[in-house]
Amino acid sequence: MKKIEAIIHSHKLDDVKSNLISAGVIGMTISEIKAYGHKKGLTNRYRGTEYKVEFSPKIRIETIVEDELADIVVQQISLAARTGEIGDGKIFVSQSEQIVRIRTQESGIAAI
């Protein structure tokens, strides 16, 4: 099983979610986060005062999928989240050794 984490723009969440569901993803966890990367922050003006915003709001999507589905999921996230601008995000894929559903004590694929 693979754990896939994607950090994307907030406004791309619905597109990514739709693509993941159509690719066969059963469940996902969504978190609102703040990220710092290549943009190195932005300088904005509010009522004549300049201020710097170093962290930009992003969404983190986490899901666990079977090994065979991992490449498709990565491709679907990449297609749906891409804007072509700096800050589109990242996708991280890692091996997930064990999964246990707390309620039923099922493990492995059955716990997804």
Side-chain angles (χ1 to χ4, degrees), residues 98-111:
Q98 182 179 10
I99 300 168
V100 177
R101 179 175 286 147
I102 295 172
R103 179 177 55 87
T104 62
Q105 295 300 305
E106 293 172 299
S107 63
I109 299 296

Side-chain angles (χ1 to χ4, degrees), residues 23-74:
V25 171
I26 296 169
M28 61 191 89
T29 301
I30 311 295
S31 307
E32 293 179 1
I33 63 169
K34 293 185 181 199
Y36 179 85
H38 285 287
K39 279 188 170 181
K40 306 281 190 265
L42 301 170
T43 302
N44 291 328
R45 278 191 179 275
Y46 180 72
R47 295 187 177 180
T49 304
E50 205 170 86
Y51 64 97
K52 186 167 183 164
V53 178
E54 291 186 351
F55 292 93
S56 55
K58 300 281 185 173
I59 296 289
R60 179 175 50 213
I61 300 171
E62 298 173 89
T63 188
I64 305 285
V65 297
E66 297 176 41
D67 291 340
E68 305 81 44
L69 196 56
D71 289 337
I72 295 168
V73 169
V74 168

Side-chain angles (χ1 to χ4, degrees), residues 74-87:
V74 168
Q75 182 182 23
Q76 290 301 314
I77 293 170
S78 186
L79 288 171
R82 183 178 298 130
T83 66
E85 302 293 323
I86 293 175

